[in-house]
Amino acid sequence: MFVFVLILLSIAIIVIKWYLARIYASLYWCWDNGNEEKRIFIDTDDVSFPQSFLWGTASASYQCEGPGDRAPTKSNWSEWEPQHIKRGQQCGIAVDHYHRYKEDIELMSTLGCNAYRFSLAWDKIEPIEGQYDQDVLGHYHDVLRELHRQSIVPMITFHHFVHPLWFEERSSFLNSTNSSAFIRFSVDMFKEFQDECHLWCTINEPEVYVSGGYFTGIFPPGRKSQPNEASLVLQNLLQAHVDIYDGIKSIARQPDQHSIGIVKDIFQFDPYHPLNPLDVYISRLLDYAMNGCILDFFRTGSFKWTMPGSTPRTFTNSRAPHTNDFIGLNYYSHFLVRFNPFKPSSFEIVHRQDDSGPSLMTDMAYPLYPEGLYRACVRLKDELPRVPIYITENGIADRCDDRRHLFLRRYLYALSRAINEAGCDVRGYFYWSLTDNFEWAEGYDMKFGLYDVNLQTQERTLRDGAKYFQQVIQKHRAKYQKKIT
């Protein structure tokens, strides 16, 4: 009997090890511990992208523009800043992109970029409800003209976390009746710029806006642990996207020439230990709340929100599955979730240990995880089939510029695999961001830029770690140019 039990135990151990090996092999690829030149396992230079692929950088108006030619306008973020940003930092003139846009567009061209994603500053355009500032609108016409002069395709975002103070004072998206103001603004901006732009993002990362504003409290309005408010705001944002899409398509002179999509950030929530049912349960719960319920809405038209301690929320909109000509995917990393009954939330976010010690971390509180970009693309392909993808943000906070080169190598390799091996219809990649900028609650501490910016002199300097990005773009575009000629 003892021998029989021992045999069964040995078999169980073998099966468990085999099972875990399969899981980890799918989640973690065999990299070279930071030294890509070895190329023992993966040749990160082995990448290829479609001929018509867009290569660009991304920005948000508040983070890079500064106030422009007017006195600073008031917004949800300008009122939030003084007490809630690290070390009391304030955005100020940022990197003064409002006045230096020609210089910055020239930097894009130098890199080889042929696309640029940016947001319209609703707070500057409509500082008083119902009154559009024609000078600011004229500024954006100038930006678009310069982009076209440099053969750079624009992609415009209507809402990137910031809106006028008058909208915030009316409880912004917590009040469903307010959505009409945002919908009206978005459709009016389309009317204004439809001859100069054909790629449109409605809302940037609705779940991040909700999480920061109504769970962690690090974004305005700073409400903490308010799941019922969070689910209502998310519902109103998703409904607004549908209405904006339909509104634009109904008035566009050439609706088929314009592509409209929402921008979805995907951070995977993976169980720290795949055999721990509590880790698995919590990770799935978080993933559905932050990712799954939104993707389900755009696949089926049905939205279902469930979270312990909150009231379940459901609604349907049969138009939803038909309101994305593309999906904008923002991707950075993933979280490992571990059950912990001693934490107020009953879980904690941890990071993987491997043979080389702690996971290679960014300056943000998450590791390099290029495999996740591949996984996110495949997930979108599977859950929203026939909807093209643009990588609308992907970048690394790297103050010392000692991981950016590695980040770009690995993430672009993962993206190439998603396109060429998994058949994902990815049509462009926008690095976040061209220059350092004001990174929300982190202020100026996080250095995402391909170009370092001296905030005193506003001088831009290309970082060494960014040069691989330039090489890939120029090599890719030269390959197809050679074919044409």
Side-chain angles (χ1 to χ4, degrees), residues 46-56 112 114 377 388-391 412-429 472-481 483-484:
D46 183 18
V47 296
S48 63
F49 300 91
Q51 180 174 344
S52 58
F53 203 71
L54 292 182
W55 294 97
N114 59 358
C377 289
I389 302 166
Y390 288 94
I391 308 303
L412 290 178
Y413 172 83
L415 181 60
S416 177
R417 277 188 61 172
I419 294 169
N420 297 302
E421 294 183 16
C424 298
D425 184 7
V426 183
R427 301 188 177 181
Y429 173 92
V472 170
I473 297 174
Q474 294 181 351
K475 180 180 178 181
H476 168 269
R477 297 187 69 183
K479 177 177 72 171
Y480 288 112
Q481 186 64 35
K483 286 185 178 181
I484 293 172

Side-chain angles (χ1 to χ4, degrees), residues 80 174 211-217 219-226 229:
W80 175 255
L174 187 59
S211 176
Y214 299 90
F215 277 113
T216 64
F219 282 15
R223 303 277 289 160
K224 292 185 178 182
S225 302
Q226 298 295 323
E229 292 183 357

Side-chain angles (χ1 to χ4, degrees), residues 38-231:
K38 289 183 181 178
R39 296 182 184 174
I40 298 172
F41 305 112
I42 294 176
D43 183 358
T44 51
D45 282 336
D46 183 18
V47 296
S48 63
F49 300 91
Q51 180 174 344
S52 58
F53 203 71
L54 292 182
W55 294 97
T57 61
S59 70
S61 57
Y62 190 83
Q63 293 178 265
C64 66
E65 283 185 350
D69 294 325
R70 296 281 194 268
T73 54
K74 292 187 176 182
S75 68
N76 56 328
W77 268 92
S78 69
E79 297 304 290
W80 175 255
E81 275 183 12
Q83 291 82 35
H84 299 95
I85 309 302
K86 274 188 175 180
R87 303 195 319 280
Q89 298 177 81
Q90 295 190 46
C91 184
I93 67 168
V95 294
D96 199 21
H97 180 64
Y98 194 93
H99 293 112
R100 304 176 76 106
Y101 69 90
K102 288 186 178 180
E103 175 186 348
D104 289 341
I105 292 171
E106 181 64 35
L107 296 180
M108 299 174 204
S109 183
T110 299
L111 287 171
C113 293
N114 59 358
Y116 176 47
R117 177 189 170 219
F118 65 100
S119 70
L120 300 175
W122 186 10
D123 57 315
K124 288 201 279 281
I125 292 173
E126 193 181 4
I128 300 173
E129 184 177 5
Q131 298 180 26
Y132 293 149
D133 188 316
Q134 296 302 315
D135 289 339
V136 177
L137 291 175
H139 163 78
Y140 285 116
H141 281 295
D142 290 342
V143 171
L144 287 161
R145 276 192 288 270
E146 183 65 17
L147 289 169
H148 287 298
R149 190 183 73 81
Q150 297 270 14
S151 299
I152 293 175
V153 175
M155 175 185 277
I156 286 177
T157 304
F158 295 127
H159 190 277
H160 199 130
F161 299 161
V162 178
H163 45 247
L165 185 60
W166 58 261
F167 187 75
E168 182 73 3
E169 289 176 339
R170 285 164 38 184
S171 299
S172 60
F173 293 103
L174 187 59
N175 185 341
S176 60
T177 61
N178 291 340
S179 295
S180 60
F182 172 56
I183 295 163
R184 180 257 308 152
F185 167 78
S186 301
V187 173
D188 284 352
M189 292 306 100
F190 172 81
K191 289 181 195 174
E192 181 77 24
F193 299 110
Q194 67 172 310
D195 292 334
E196 299 159 278
C197 182
H198 299 277
L199 291 171
W200 307 88
C201 301
T202 55
I203 299 163
N204 182 75
E205 301 178 344
E207 78 292 342
V208 174
Y209 174 86
V210 165
S211 176
Y214 299 90
F215 277 113
T216 64
I218 64 171
F219 282 15
R223 303 277 289 160
K224 292 185 178 182
S225 302
Q226 298 295 323
N228 292 330
E229 292 183 357
S231 64

Side-chain angles (χ1 to χ4, degrees), residues 459-477:
E459 181 182 2
R460 277 88 159 129
T461 305
L462 182 65
R463 288 192 163 102
D464 288 340
K467 292 176 181 177
Y468 179 75
F469 184 55
Q470 183 179 39
Q471 293 167 8
V472 170
I473 297 174
Q474 294 181 351
K475 180 180 178 181
H476 168 269
R477 297 187 69 183

Side-chain angles (χ1 to χ4, degrees), residues 402-435:
D402 57 2
R403 290 147 289 169
R404 187 169 282 104
H405 184 271
L406 189 66
F407 176 94
L408 285 162
R409 276 185 170 274
R410 293 185 176 184
Y411 278 72
L412 290 178
Y413 172 83
L415 181 60
S416 177
R417 277 188 61 172
I419 294 169
N420 297 302
E421 294 183 16
C424 298
D425 184 7
V426 183
R427 301 188 177 181
Y429 173 92
F430 294 79
Y431 180 86
W432 183 273
S433 56
L434 178 73
T435 63

